[in-house]
Amino acid sequence: MRPNRLWALLLTATALPAAAAPVLLENARVFDGTRDLGITPVLINGTHIVHVGSPLPADASAARRVDYRGKTLLPGLVSDHAHVGNTEGLQHGDRFYTRDNVVRDLRQFQRYGVTTVTALGMNGHDFFTIRKEVNADPRLGAQLYGAGGGIGAVDGAPPAAAMGLQRDAVARPRNAEEARAAVASQQADGVDLIKLWVDNLGGKVPMMPPEIFRAAISEAHARGLKVAAHIHDLDQAKALVDAKVDIIAHGIRDRAVDPMLVRKMREQGTGYIATVNIDEANYWYAENPQALQTPFLRAALPVAVRERWQQPEWQSEQLAGANIPGARKAVAMNLENLRRLHAGGVKLGFGTDAGAMPQRVIGFAEHRELKLLTEAGLTPARALQVATADAADLLGLADRGRIAAGKRADLLVLDADPLADIQNSQSIHAVWQAGQEVDGPITE
C-alpha cells in the first residue's frame, strides 16, 4: 500500500482547540456512515468522538448534555471534488482567489453540512497558507484539502480564457519529463493529491497526450500521491484506468461503460466521482424556478445570481440554449453509468464540482447530488454512505466520515430522517466541526 500524504498531514497538523468539557449528544437516531444505529448516545471530548452507544463510560456523568430527541445525527459530508475562491456573483475566474473568498466558500460548505472539502485544482498560490489557517480553526469553515493548481494540457483543459485563469496556476507540461517535474514541484509545495485534466472538451481543445498523463501518474505513485483525473468520455476513462489512475473525477457521459472496464476498476480499486449535478445545473434552476423561493436554496445564492435566475426571460433563454439537449443526455448517461458501476462494486466518491462556476452552487449542489445518487438506484442509506464514509476512504482520510470512537466530531444534525427520504438531508438543525457547534438551521 502506498503511503498516504493526506493521513500524514492529519497527524502533523496543528491541534485544534479542545472543548471545555465533554459533550453528550442524546436521544438522536444515529446513522454512523455505514448503518443505522437507532437512537444512540454519542460522547464527544475535545475535537473527537470518544464513545458511541450504551452503557456510557463513567466520565460521561460530567458531560454537558444536548438533547437531540427527534433528530437524526450523521457524519459531516465529505466532498471529494469541489472548488473554492473561483466565483463572485455571476462571474468566475482566479482573480477572485483571495483568502476572504476561500473562507467565505468554506463557511458556506460548512453551513450546508459539508465539513471536508477537496479543492480539486485551479487553486491560487495562497492555497497552502489558507489551508493551514482554516484547518486549525473550525470557525473558518470546512476543512480544506486539495491539488494546488493541478496539471493541465498545453492550450487545452482547463481552458484558461473560458475559466478566467488570468494568473493560471495550472502546470501545463509539454512532455513526460516536464510532467514528472510538475508532480515533484507540486509535492514540494505540499499538495494532498495530483489533479490531471485529460479531456479535449468535445474536440474543441488539444487533449493531454497519453505519455504525459502516464508519466504524471507513475511519478505521483512513486512519491506516495494519489491522482484524480478530469474526464468526460469513455475512451479517456479507459486510458486512465489502464495507466492506473486512482480516481476518475467526473462521470463518463458519452457512452455506456462496458463490463470489462467495470471489472478492471473494481479490481484495481479505482475510485469514481460521478458529479452528476455538473451538467444538471445548466438547466435545473431555470426549470425549477419555484426552488428559488425556498430558504435552503435562496440562502446559498449571491444576490446577483438570485436576481438573474428569478427573471422569466433568463429562464426561457437558458432552457433554449444550444448546450441544453447535450446536458440532458449527459445527465441520463451519467446516471446509467453510475448505476452500472455501483452494481459492479466500483468504489464511489462524492463531489459536484461546486464552486467552479456560479451555477454549481456551493452547499446546495451537494444535497442535490444526494438526490441524484438515489435516482441512479442507490438507497438513501447507501447515498449517505457514499457522501460520508466512502468519500473519506477515497481520500485516505481515516479520521472522519464515521460516527465512532476516535473519529473527528464533524457532525450533521437533521430535523427529519434522510433514510426515509434523502431530501430530508436539507432539514439542517445544526452542524458540528471538531467538537464545536458551528452552525444552525439555514435561514436567509
Side-chain angles (χ1 to χ4, degrees), residues 242-287:
D242 286 344
K244 304 294 196 298
V245 75
D246 300 285
I247 300 168
I248 299 295
H250 285 297
I252 298 167
R253 287 162 278 171
D254 67 326
R255 289 183 289 149
V257 298
D258 55 79
M260 183 176 296
L261 177 63
V262 175
R263 183 172 64 251
K264 184 174 289 188
M265 290 178 69
R266 182 183 65 245
E267 291 174 351
Q268 292 183 184
T270 310
Y272 186 80
I273 310 170
T275 65
V276 183
N277 184 253
I278 193 173
D279 293 294
E280 189 199 56
N282 291 329
Y283 59 84
W284 192 87
Y285 299 101
E287 201 167 63

mmCIF file of all heavy atoms in Angstrom, residues 242-287:
data_model
loop_
_atom_site.group_PDB
_atom_site.id
_atom_site.type_symbol
_atom_site.label_atom_id
_atom_site.label_comp_id
_atom_site.label_asym_id
_atom_site.label_seq_id
_atom_site.Cartn_x
_atom_site.Cartn_y
_atom_site.Cartn_z
ATOM 1 N N ASP A 242 -6.186 2.161 -17.499
ATOM 2 C CA ASP A 242 -5.032 1.364 -17.938
ATOM 3 C C ASP A 242 -3.732 1.915 -17.358
ATOM 4 O O ASP A 242 -2.794 1.162 -17.092
ATOM 5 C CB ASP A 242 -4.941 1.350 -19.466
ATOM 6 C CG ASP A 242 -5.994 0.456 -20.114
ATOM 7 O OD1 ASP A 242 -6.580 -0.378 -19.397
ATOM 8 O OD2 ASP A 242 -6.231 0.603 -21.330
ATOM 9 N N ALA A 243 -3.684 3.236 -17.166
ATOM 10 C CA ALA A 243 -2.483 3.881 -16.616
ATOM 11 C C ALA A 243 -2.471 3.866 -15.091
ATOM 12 O O ALA A 243 -1.575 4.447 -14.482
ATOM 13 C CB ALA A 243 -2.390 5.319 -17.123
ATOM 14 N N LYS A 244 -3.480 3.207 -14.480
ATOM 15 C CA LYS A 244 -3.556 3.030 -13.018
ATOM 16 C C LYS A 244 -3.891 4.318 -12.272
ATOM 17 O O LYS A 244 -3.431 4.529 -11.147
ATOM 18 C CB LYS A 244 -2.251 2.434 -12.470
ATOM 19 C CG LYS A 244 -1.826 1.122 -13.096
ATOM 20 C CD LYS A 244 -2.805 -0.006 -12.766
ATOM 21 C CE LYS A 244 -2.209 -1.378 -13.035
ATOM 22 N NZ LYS A 244 -1.867 -1.594 -14.454
ATOM 23 N N VAL A 245 -4.695 5.189 -12.878
ATOM 24 C CA VAL A 245 -5.144 6.374 -12.152
ATOM 25 C C VAL A 245 -5.929 5.927 -10.921
ATOM 26 O O VAL A 245 -6.556 4.860 -10.904
ATOM 27 C CB VAL A 245 -6.005 7.282 -13.056
ATOM 28 C CG1 VAL A 245 -7.398 6.706 -13.254
ATOM 29 C CG2 VAL A 245 -6.067 8.698 -12.520
ATOM 30 N N ASP A 246 -5.912 6.730 -9.864
ATOM 31 C CA ASP A 246 -6.594 6.366 -8.625
ATOM 32 C C ASP A 246 -8.067 6.743 -8.627
ATOM 33 O O ASP A 246 -8.900 6.018 -8.073
ATOM 34 C CB ASP A 246 -5.912 7.059 -7.438
ATOM 35 C CG ASP A 246 -4.465 6.662 -7.308
ATOM 36 O OD1 ASP A 246 -4.211 5.531 -6.852
ATOM 37 O OD2 ASP A 246 -3.596 7.464 -7.692
ATOM 38 N N ILE A 247 -8.390 7.897 -9.233
ATOM 39 C CA ILE A 247 -9.750 8.417 -9.157
ATOM 40 C C ILE A 247 -10.165 8.995 -10.510
ATOM 41 O O ILE A 247 -9.446 9.818 -11.085
ATOM 42 C CB ILE A 247 -9.860 9.531 -8.094
ATOM 43 C CG1 ILE A 247 -9.476 9.002 -6.710
ATOM 44 C CG2 ILE A 247 -11.266 10.130 -8.060
ATOM 45 C CD1 ILE A 247 -9.273 10.103 -5.679
ATOM 46 N N ILE A 248 -11.311 8.564 -11.016
ATOM 47 C CA ILE A 248 -11.953 9.219 -12.150
ATOM 48 C C ILE A 248 -12.846 10.297 -11.541
ATOM 49 O O ILE A 248 -13.812 10.002 -10.839
ATOM 50 C CB ILE A 248 -12.784 8.231 -12.982
ATOM 51 C CG1 ILE A 248 -11.888 7.108 -13.549
ATOM 52 C CG2 ILE A 248 -13.520 8.956 -14.093
ATOM 53 C CD1 ILE A 248 -10.862 7.573 -14.542
ATOM 54 N N ALA A 249 -12.525 11.558 -11.810
ATOM 55 C CA ALA A 249 -13.098 12.659 -11.030
ATOM 56 C C ALA A 249 -14.379 13.252 -11.596
ATOM 57 O O ALA A 249 -14.934 14.181 -11.016
ATOM 58 C CB ALA A 249 -12.053 13.761 -10.859
ATOM 59 N N HIS A 250 -14.846 12.756 -12.725
ATOM 60 C CA HIS A 250 -16.150 13.127 -13.277
ATOM 61 C C HIS A 250 -16.781 11.880 -13.871
ATOM 62 O O HIS A 250 -16.080 10.921 -14.222
ATOM 63 C CB HIS A 250 -16.028 14.178 -14.386
ATOM 64 C CG HIS A 250 -15.745 15.557 -13.910
ATOM 65 N ND1 HIS A 250 -16.603 16.260 -13.107
ATOM 66 C CD2 HIS A 250 -14.692 16.372 -14.144
ATOM 67 C CE1 HIS A 250 -16.089 17.458 -12.858
ATOM 68 N NE2 HIS A 250 -14.925 17.546 -13.471
ATOM 69 N N GLY A 251 -18.093 11.917 -14.016
ATOM 70 C CA GLY A 251 -18.772 10.793 -14.619
ATOM 71 C C GLY A 251 -18.471 10.654 -16.101
ATOM 72 O O GLY A 251 -18.156 11.620 -16.793
ATOM 73 N N ILE A 252 -18.589 9.420 -16.595
ATOM 74 C CA ILE A 252 -18.456 9.117 -18.028
ATOM 75 C C ILE A 252 -19.804 9.413 -18.671
ATOM 76 O O ILE A 252 -20.821 8.826 -18.308
ATOM 77 C CB ILE A 252 -18.062 7.645 -18.235
ATOM 78 C CG1 ILE A 252 -16.691 7.385 -17.584
ATOM 79 C CG2 ILE A 252 -18.042 7.295 -19.717
ATOM 80 C CD1 ILE A 252 -16.352 5.909 -17.457
ATOM 81 N N ARG A 253 -19.801 10.322 -19.679
ATOM 82 C CA ARG A 253 -21.076 10.873 -20.130
ATOM 83 C C ARG A 253 -21.364 10.710 -21.612
ATOM 84 O O ARG A 253 -22.399 11.169 -22.091
ATOM 85 C CB ARG A 253 -21.129 12.357 -19.753
ATOM 86 C CG ARG A 253 -21.319 12.588 -18.268
ATOM 87 C CD ARG A 253 -20.943 13.990 -17.846
ATOM 88 N NE ARG A 253 -19.501 14.123 -17.661
ATOM 89 C CZ ARG A 253 -18.884 15.285 -17.461
ATOM 90 N NH1 ARG A 253 -19.569 16.401 -17.455
ATOM 91 N NH2 ARG A 253 -17.574 15.312 -17.273
ATOM 92 N N ASP A 254 -20.466 10.088 -22.368
ATOM 93 C CA ASP A 254 -20.747 9.961 -23.810
ATOM 94 C C ASP A 254 -21.313 8.606 -24.188
ATOM 95 O O ASP A 254 -22.189 8.506 -25.054
ATOM 96 C CB ASP A 254 -19.495 10.264 -24.631
ATOM 97 C CG ASP A 254 -18.399 9.221 -24.445
ATOM 98 O OD1 ASP A 254 -18.272 8.665 -23.311
ATOM 99 O OD2 ASP A 254 -17.648 8.955 -25.401
ATOM 100 N N ARG A 255 -20.828 7.545 -23.543
ATOM 101 C CA ARG A 255 -21.268 6.196 -23.881
ATOM 102 C C ARG A 255 -21.355 5.351 -22.618
ATOM 103 O O ARG A 255 -20.778 5.690 -21.584
ATOM 104 C CB ARG A 255 -20.289 5.529 -24.858
ATOM 105 C CG ARG A 255 -20.312 6.108 -26.257
ATOM 106 C CD ARG A 255 -19.366 5.340 -27.160
ATOM 107 N NE ARG A 255 -17.967 5.610 -26.826
ATOM 108 C CZ ARG A 255 -16.974 4.728 -26.973
ATOM 109 N NH1 ARG A 255 -17.226 3.498 -27.386
ATOM 110 N NH2 ARG A 255 -15.731 5.073 -26.685
ATOM 111 N N ALA A 256 -22.049 4.230 -22.730
ATOM 112 C CA ALA A 256 -22.197 3.332 -21.594
ATOM 113 C C ALA A 256 -20.899 2.589 -21.305
ATOM 114 O O ALA A 256 -20.181 2.185 -22.227
ATOM 115 C CB ALA A 256 -23.323 2.333 -21.859
ATOM 116 N N VAL A 257 -20.606 2.422 -20.031
ATOM 117 C CA VAL A 257 -19.426 1.653 -19.649
ATOM 118 C C VAL A 257 -19.667 0.182 -19.963
ATOM 119 O O VAL A 257 -20.808 -0.292 -19.970
ATOM 120 C CB VAL A 257 -19.102 1.834 -18.155
ATOM 121 C CG1 VAL A 257 -18.785 3.288 -17.837
ATOM 122 C CG2 VAL A 257 -20.239 1.342 -17.275
ATOM 123 N N ASP A 258 -18.592 -0.543 -20.239
ATOM 124 C CA ASP A 258 -18.710 -1.961 -20.559
ATOM 125 C C ASP A 258 -18.253 -2.799 -19.372
ATOM 126 O O ASP A 258 -17.536 -2.324 -18.487
ATOM 127 C CB ASP A 258 -17.877 -2.291 -21.794
ATOM 128 C CG ASP A 258 -16.425 -1.861 -21.640
ATOM 129 O OD1 ASP A 258 -15.656 -2.570 -20.966
ATOM 130 O OD2 ASP A 258 -16.072 -0.782 -22.165
ATOM 131 N N PRO A 259 -18.656 -4.064 -19.313
ATOM 132 C CA PRO A 259 -18.314 -4.918 -18.167
ATOM 133 C C PRO A 259 -16.815 -5.041 -17.919
ATOM 134 O O PRO A 259 -16.386 -5.156 -16.758
ATOM 135 C CB PRO A 259 -18.933 -6.273 -18.546
ATOM 136 C CG PRO A 259 -20.062 -5.924 -19.464
ATOM 137 C CD PRO A 259 -19.579 -4.744 -20.252
ATOM 138 N N MET A 260 -16.006 -5.016 -18.973
ATOM 139 C CA MET A 260 -14.564 -5.145 -18.782
ATOM 140 C C MET A 260 -14.003 -3.964 -17.995
ATOM 141 O O MET A 260 -13.175 -4.133 -17.093
ATOM 142 C CB MET A 260 -13.847 -5.266 -20.136
ATOM 143 C CG MET A 260 -12.341 -5.481 -20.015
ATOM 144 S SD MET A 260 -11.527 -5.723 -21.615
ATOM 145 C CE MET A 260 -12.296 -7.265 -22.127
ATOM 146 N N LEU A 261 -14.456 -2.737 -18.323
ATOM 147 C CA LEU A 261 -13.987 -1.562 -17.591
ATOM 148 C C LEU A 261 -14.464 -1.617 -16.147
ATOM 149 O O LEU A 261 -13.688 -1.314 -15.220
ATOM 150 C CB LEU A 261 -14.481 -0.288 -18.253
ATOM 151 C CG LEU A 261 -14.092 1.012 -17.517
ATOM 152 C CD1 LEU A 261 -12.583 1.191 -17.485
ATOM 153 C CD2 LEU A 261 -14.764 2.223 -18.160
ATOM 154 N N VAL A 262 -15.698 -2.005 -15.942
ATOM 155 C CA VAL A 262 -16.221 -2.104 -14.571
ATOM 156 C C VAL A 262 -15.379 -3.076 -13.762
ATOM 157 O O VAL A 262 -14.985 -2.781 -12.617
ATOM 158 C CB VAL A 262 -17.692 -2.545 -14.586
ATOM 159 C CG1 VAL A 262 -18.209 -2.761 -13.166
ATOM 160 C CG2 VAL A 262 -18.567 -1.519 -15.311
ATOM 161 N N ARG A 263 -15.074 -4.221 -14.343
ATOM 162 C CA ARG A 263 -14.278 -5.222 -13.636
ATOM 163 C C ARG A 263 -12.870 -4.707 -13.347
ATOM 164 O O ARG A 263 -12.356 -4.872 -12.228
ATOM 165 C CB ARG A 263 -14.210 -6.512 -14.454
ATOM 166 C CG ARG A 263 -13.442 -7.627 -13.741
ATOM 167 C CD ARG A 263 -13.554 -8.945 -14.478
ATOM 168 N NE ARG A 263 -12.937 -8.890 -15.814
ATOM 169 C CZ ARG A 263 -13.633 -8.892 -16.948
ATOM 170 N NH1 ARG A 263 -14.958 -8.919 -16.931
ATOM 171 N NH2 ARG A 263 -13.013 -8.867 -18.105
ATOM 172 N N LYS A 264 -12.272 -4.057 -14.311
ATOM 173 C CA LYS A 264 -10.916 -3.550 -14.106
ATOM 174 C C LYS A 264 -10.887 -2.481 -13.016
ATOM 175 O O LYS A 264 -9.981 -2.461 -12.177
ATOM 176 C CB LYS A 264 -10.357 -2.996 -15.420
ATOM 177 C CG LYS A 264 -8.910 -2.534 -15.324
ATOM 178 C CD LYS A 264 -8.354 -2.127 -16.684
ATOM 179 C CE LYS A 264 -8.139 -3.309 -17.572
ATOM 180 N NZ LYS A 264 -7.410 -2.944 -18.830
ATOM 181 N N MET A 265 -11.873 -1.586 -13.008
ATOM 182 C CA MET A 265 -11.921 -0.554 -11.976
ATOM 183 C C MET A 265 -12.110 -1.177 -10.596
ATOM 184 O O MET A 265 -11.474 -0.749 -9.620
ATOM 185 C CB MET A 265 -13.042 0.445 -12.284
ATOM 186 C CG MET A 265 -12.756 1.321 -13.491
ATOM 187 S SD MET A 265 -14.119 2.467 -13.892
ATOM 188 C CE MET A 265 -14.049 3.585 -12.492
ATOM 189 N N ARG A 266 -12.970 -2.169 -10.517
ATOM 190 C CA ARG A 266 -13.189 -2.837 -9.230
ATOM 191 C C ARG A 266 -11.919 -3.526 -8.754
ATOM 192 O O ARG A 266 -11.511 -3.390 -7.590
ATOM 193 C CB ARG A 266 -14.320 -3.858 -9.352
ATOM 194 C CG ARG A 266 -14.626 -4.563 -8.028
ATOM 195 C CD ARG A 266 -15.695 -5.625 -8.184
ATOM 196 N NE ARG A 266 -15.258 -6.723 -9.044
ATOM 197 C CZ ARG A 266 -15.793 -7.013 -10.220
ATOM 198 N NH1 ARG A 266 -16.779 -6.284 -10.710
ATOM 199 N NH2 ARG A 266 -15.334 -8.026 -10.940
ATOM 200 N N GLU A 267 -11.258 -4.236 -9.643
ATOM 201 C CA GLU A 267 -10.064 -4.991 -9.245
ATOM 202 C C GLU A 267 -8.903 -4.072 -8.892
ATOM 203 O O GLU A 267 -8.102 -4.390 -7.995
ATOM 204 C CB GLU A 267 -9.667 -5.943 -10.378
ATOM 205 C CG GLU A 267 -10.667 -7.084 -10.574
ATOM 206 C CD GLU A 267 -10.358 -7.948 -11.785
ATOM 207 O OE1 GLU A 267 -9.454 -7.561 -12.575
ATOM 208 O OE2 GLU A 267 -11.021 -8.989 -11.952
ATOM 209 N N GLN A 268 -8.778 -2.943 -9.574
ATOM 210 C CA GLN A 268 -7.688 -2.011 -9.296
ATOM 211 C C GLN A 268 -8.018 -1.057 -8.145
ATOM 212 O O GLN A 268 -7.135 -0.346 -7.662
ATOM 213 C CB GLN A 268 -7.352 -1.187 -10.547
ATOM 214 C CG GLN A 268 -6.730 -2.005 -11.652
ATOM 215 C CD GLN A 268 -6.325 -1.174 -12.871
ATOM 216 O OE1 GLN A 268 -5.865 -1.714 -13.886
ATOM 217 N NE2 GLN A 268 -6.480 0.137 -12.799
ATOM 218 N N GLY A 269 -9.272 -1.035 -7.726
ATOM 219 C CA GLY A 269 -9.669 -0.119 -6.669
ATOM 220 C C GLY A 269 -9.787 1.318 -7.147
ATOM 221 O O GLY A 269 -9.630 2.259 -6.353
ATOM 222 N N THR A 270 -10.072 1.512 -8.436
ATOM 223 C CA THR A 270 -10.212 2.864 -8.979
ATOM 224 C C THR A 270 -11.473 3.521 -8.419
ATOM 225 O O THR A 270 -12.557 2.950 -8.475
ATOM 226 C CB THR A 270 -10.334 2.817 -10.516
ATOM 227 O OG1 THR A 270 -9.290 2.013 -11.047
ATOM 228 C CG2 THR A 270 -10.257 4.226 -11.101
ATOM 229 N N GLY A 271 -11.332 4.726 -7.889
ATOM 230 C CA GLY A 271 -12.477 5.460 -7.387
ATOM 231 C C GLY A 271 -13.188 6.212 -8.491
ATOM 232 O O GLY A 271 -12.586 6.564 -9.519
ATOM 233 N N TYR A 272 -14.478 6.490 -8.268
ATOM 234 C CA TYR A 272 -15.309 7.127 -9.284
ATOM 235 C C TYR A 272 -16.197 8.163 -8.628
ATOM 236 O O TYR A 272 -16.963 7.862 -7.713
ATOM 237 C CB TYR A 272 -16.162 6.063 -9.978
ATOM 238 C CG TYR A 272 -16.975 6.539 -11.168
ATOM 239 C CD1 TYR A 272 -16.386 6.699 -12.415
ATOM 240 C CD2 TYR A 272 -18.339 6.807 -11.039
ATOM 241 C CE1 TYR A 272 -17.142 7.106 -13.516
ATOM 242 C CE2 TYR A 272 -19.092 7.212 -12.136
ATOM 243 C CZ TYR A 272 -18.482 7.360 -13.374
ATOM 244 O OH TYR A 272 -19.224 7.761 -14.459
ATOM 245 N N ILE A 273 -16.077 9.417 -9.085
ATOM 246 C CA ILE A 273 -16.909 10.518 -8.591
ATOM 247 C C ILE A 273 -17.785 10.971 -9.753
ATOM 248 O O ILE A 273 -17.298 11.566 -10.709
ATOM 249 C CB ILE A 273 -16.046 11.683 -8.082
ATOM 250 C CG1 ILE A 273 -14.969 11.196 -7.104
ATOM 251 C CG2 ILE A 273 -16.922 12.745 -7.426
ATOM 252 C CD1 ILE A 273 -13.940 12.254 -6.760
ATOM 253 N N ALA A 274 -19.072 10.734 -9.664
ATOM 254 C CA ALA A 274 -19.947 10.950 -10.825
ATOM 255 C C ALA A 274 -20.192 12.432 -11.124
ATOM 256 O O ALA A 274 -20.363 12.815 -12.284
ATOM 257 C CB ALA A 274 -21.278 10.241 -10.609
ATOM 258 N N THR A 275 -20.268 13.282 -10.112
ATOM 259 C CA THR A 275 -20.588 14.712 -10.287
ATOM 260 C C THR A 275 -21.743 14.916 -11.279
ATOM 261 O O THR A 275 -21.650 15.699 -12.219
ATOM 262 C CB THR A 275 -19.357 15.537 -10.736
ATOM 263 O OG1 THR A 275 -18.920 15.131 -12.032
ATOM 264 C CG2 THR A 275 -18.209 15.416 -9.765
ATOM 265 N N VAL A 276 -22.855 14.240 -11.038
ATOM 266 C CA VAL A 276 -23.991 14.339 -11.960
ATOM 267 C C VAL A 276 -24.502 15.774 -12.041
ATOM 268 O O VAL A 276 -24.919 16.254 -13.103
ATOM 269 C CB VAL A 276 -25.120 13.381 -11.528
ATOM 270 C CG1 VAL A 276 -26.271 13.432 -12.538
ATOM 271 C CG2 VAL A 276 -24.602 11.958 -11.389
ATOM 272 N N ASN A 277 -24.464 16.486 -10.925
ATOM 273 C CA ASN A 277 -25.015 17.838 -10.879
ATOM 274 C C ASN A 277 -24.291 18.809 -11.797
ATOM 275 O O ASN A 277 -24.850 19.850 -12.157
ATOM 276 C CB ASN A 277 -24.976 18.351 -9.431
ATOM 277 C CG ASN A 277 -25.604 19.707 -9.269
ATOM 278 O OD1 ASN A 277 -24.925 20.720 -9.075
ATOM 279 N ND2 ASN A 277 -26.924 19.749 -9.350
ATOM 280 N N ILE A 278 -23.070 18.482 -12.220
ATOM 281 C CA ILE A 278 -22.299 19.412 -13.046
ATOM 282 C C ILE A 278 -23.038 19.744 -14.346
ATOM 283 O O ILE A 278 -22.991 20.882 -14.821
ATOM 284 C CB ILE A 278 -20.892 18.843 -13.340
ATOM 285 C CG1 ILE A 278 -19.988 19.924 -13.929
ATOM 286 C CG2 ILE A 278 -20.950 17.653 -14.258
ATOM 287 C CD1 ILE A 278 -18.548 19.476 -14.093
ATOM 288 N N ASP A 279 -23.727 18.792 -14.927
ATOM 289 C CA ASP A 279 -24.495 19.034 -16.151
ATOM 290 C C ASP A 279 -25.931 19.434 -15.839
ATOM 291 O O ASP A 279 -26.504 20.284 -16.520
ATOM 292 C CB ASP A 279 -24.478 17.790 -17.046
ATOM 293 C CG ASP A 279 -23.092 17.506 -17.600
ATOM 294 O OD1 ASP A 279 -22.588 18.324 -18.392
ATOM 295 O OD2 ASP A 279 -22.505 16.467 -17.233
ATOM 296 N N GLU A 280 -26.498 18.831 -14.820
ATOM 297 C CA GLU A 280 -27.872 19.163 -14.460
ATOM 298 C C GLU A 280 -28.013 20.644 -14.091
ATOM 299 O O GLU A 280 -29.042 21.265 -14.351
ATOM 300 C CB GLU A 280 -28.331 18.291 -13.290
ATOM 301 C CG GLU A 280 -29.811 18.442 -13.004
ATOM 302 C CD GLU A 280 -30.195 17.967 -11.614
ATOM 303 O OE1 GLU A 280 -29.611 18.457 -10.634
ATOM 304 O OE2 GLU A 280 -31.109 17.126 -11.523
ATOM 305 N N ALA A 281 -26.962 21.205 -13.497
ATOM 306 C CA ALA A 281 -27.018 22.607 -13.064
ATOM 307 C C ALA A 281 -27.217 23.568 -14.223
ATOM 308 O O ALA A 281 -27.640 24.711 -14.013
ATOM 309 C CB ALA A 281 -25.734 22.971 -12.307
ATOM 310 N N ASN A 282 -26.925 23.135 -15.446
ATOM 311 C CA ASN A 282 -27.085 24.019 -16.600
ATOM 312 C C ASN A 282 -28.553 24.310 -16.913
ATOM 313 O O ASN A 282 -28.853 25.303 -17.592
ATOM 314 C CB ASN A 282 -26.408 23.410 -17.829
ATOM 315 C CG ASN A 282 -24.905 23.395 -17.701
ATOM 316 O OD1 ASN A 282 -24.324 24.265 -17.065
ATOM 317 N ND2 ASN A 282 -24.263 22.408 -18.298
ATOM 318 N N TYR A 283 -29.451 23.444 -16.432
ATOM 319 C CA TYR A 283 -30.865 23.660 -16.739
ATOM 320 C C TYR A 283 -31.788 23.567 -15.522
ATOM 321 O O TYR A 283 -32.913 24.061 -15.550
ATOM 322 C CB TYR A 283 -31.347 22.671 -17.815
ATOM 323 C CG TYR A 283 -31.195 21.214 -17.463
ATOM 324 C CD1 TYR A 283 -32.139 20.546 -16.700
ATOM 325 C CD2 TYR A 283 -30.096 20.486 -17.924
ATOM 326 C CE1 TYR A 283 -31.999 19.194 -16.385
ATOM 327 C CE2 TYR A 283 -29.950 19.140 -17.621
ATOM 328 C CZ TYR A 283 -30.898 18.497 -16.857
ATOM 329 O OH TYR A 283 -30.740 17.175 -16.541
ATOM 330 N N TRP A 284 -31.336 22.962 -14.424
ATOM 331 C CA TRP A 284 -32.233 22.655 -13.309
ATOM 332 C C TRP A 284 -32.827 23.909 -12.671
ATOM 333 O O TRP A 284 -34.023 23.959 -12.366
ATOM 334 C CB TRP A 284 -31.494 21.827 -12.259
ATOM 335 C CG TRP A 284 -32.417 21.239 -11.224
ATOM 336 C CD1 TRP A 284 -33.086 20.053 -11.293
ATOM 337 C CD2 TRP A 284 -32.800 21.824 -9.974
ATOM 338 N NE1 TRP A 284 -33.849 19.856 -10.164
ATOM 339 C CE2 TRP A 284 -33.686 20.936 -9.334
ATOM 340 C CE3 TRP A 284 -32.467 23.017 -9.324
ATOM 341 C CZ2 TRP A 284 -34.249 21.192 -8.090
ATOM 342 C CZ3 TRP A 284 -33.028 23.278 -8.075
ATOM 343 C CH2 TRP A 284 -33.907 22.380 -7.474
ATOM 344 N N TYR A 285 -32.026 24.937 -12.484
ATOM 345 C CA TYR A 285 -32.512 26.147 -11.816
ATOM 346 C C TYR A 285 -33.519 26.895 -12.686
ATOM 347 O O TYR A 285 -34.502 27.445 -12.182
ATOM 348 C CB TYR A 285 -31.341 27.047 -11.441
ATOM 349 C CG TYR A 285 -30.386 26.357 -10.490
ATOM 350 C CD1 TYR A 285 -29.193 25.799 -10.954
ATOM 351 C CD2 TYR A 285 -30.695 26.225 -9.150
ATOM 352 C CE1 TYR A 285 -28.337 25.131 -10.093
ATOM 353 C CE2 TYR A 285 -29.845 25.554 -8.278
ATOM 354 C CZ TYR A 285 -28.666 25.008 -8.756
ATOM 355 O OH TYR A 285 -27.826 24.340 -7.904
ATOM 356 N N ALA A 286 -33.287 26.901 -13.999
ATOM 357 C CA ALA A 286 -34.240 27.533 -14.907
ATOM 358 C C ALA A 286 -35.524 26.723 -15.012
ATOM 359 O O ALA A 286 -36.612 27.274 -15.216
ATOM 360 C CB ALA A 286 -33.614 27.700 -16.293
ATOM 361 N N GLU A 287 -35.401 25.423 -14.844
ATOM 362 C CA GLU A 287 -36.544 24.531 -14.971
ATOM 363 C C GLU A 287 -37.363 24.455 -13.684
ATOM 364 O O GLU A 287 -38.539 24.057 -13.707
ATOM 365 C CB GLU A 287 -36.035 23.130 -15.345
ATOM 366 C CG GLU A 287 -37.043 22.232 -15.988
ATOM 367 C CD GLU A 287 -36.354 21.012 -16.589
ATOM 368 O OE1 GLU A 287 -35.757 20.228 -15.827
ATOM 369 O OE2 GLU A 287 -36.394 20.868 -17.821
#
